[in-house]
Amino acid sequence: MNRRLGYAAVLALSLAPMLLVSPASAQRRGPAPQQPTEPQQRQTAKPEQNFPLGASWSAISLNGKPIRDRKATLQVDANLRGTGFSGCNTFSASAYPLREQGFAVGPVALTKRSCDKAAQDFERAYLIALRAARNWELVAGRLVIKGGGGELQFDRGI
């Protein structure tokens, strides 16, 4: 233990002259070179939006394709529970609006209604896009949810 303290003291004493700077030595060195300053670009950050909790939304497009012959809905309540209709079944999942327009959807619970193949294919694509959601934004009164599974656009429901 004493040997360790001795080594620490020797190290501290050997570094002390390097750390101490007298005004005379600072003047001999001259002013510190300044780094070239680049004009700082102001990034205009989008104002933080609040997710519209409690609003009902009807899907109008999936991955850029309009939804005409199907119905799909989404509502996120104040308890952060996302519910809706996915084209064949009703669903429920935890839905978390996050900072900086982030969005996360937990595992989906789904009813087990039997539907035709086209309705099942649409439902699968809709739920994959919803489950993989990462971001949301409001654009011209429409809710847009984007993620690894695609993009969903919603209009306000009644």
Side-chain angles (χ1 to χ4, degrees):
M1 180 74 173
N2 288 337
R3 189 177 284 178
R4 286 186 193 163
L5 288 175
Y7 289 133
V10 170
L11 181 63
L13 289 174
S14 65
L15 292 177
M18 289 184 238
L19 297 175
L20 297 175
V21 178
S22 67
S25 66
Q27 287 177 351
R28 281 191 305 249
R29 290 187 198 156
Q34 294 183 354
Q35 295 179 352
T37 58
E38 296 178 17
Q40 293 183 358
Q41 298 175 355
R42 287 188 176 178
Q43 294 181 356
T44 54
K46 290 182 179 179
E48 189 73 24
Q49 296 178 337
N50 291 327
F51 190 87
L53 296 175
S56 294
W57 299 93
S58 295
I60 57 169
S61 76
L62 173 62
N63 297 326
K65 297 176 185 173
I67 301 170
R68 291 194 179 95
D69 58 341
R70 305 272 179 233
K71 181 181 178 184
T73 62
L74 174 66
Q75 181 177 3
V76 179
D77 64 19
N79 294 323
L80 304 179
R81 197 82 185 137
T83 57
F85 181 71
S86 54
C88 181
N89 292 286
T90 57
F91 68 90
S92 177
S94 297
Y96 301 101
L98 306 170
R99 284 189 214 138
E100 298 176 1
Q101 311 307 101
F103 195 69
V105 177
V108 177
L110 198 61
T111 58
K112 295 187 178 194
R113 204 163 134 199
S114 177
C115 296
D116 61 85
K117 181 166 175 29
Q120 289 176 351
D121 290 344
F122 170 78
E123 180 176 70
R124 184 177 301 111
Y126 175 78
L127 291 174
I128 287 172
L130 191 61
R131 180 70 171 93
R134 296 290 172 252
N135 297 64
W136 69 272
E137 62 183 331
L138 289 174
V139 179
R142 290 184 172 164
L143 175 64
V144 180
I145 295 179
K146 298 177 184 178
E151 177 181 296
L152 290 164
Q153 287 190 14
F154 296 89
D155 262 344
R156 283 226 185 222
I158 296 176

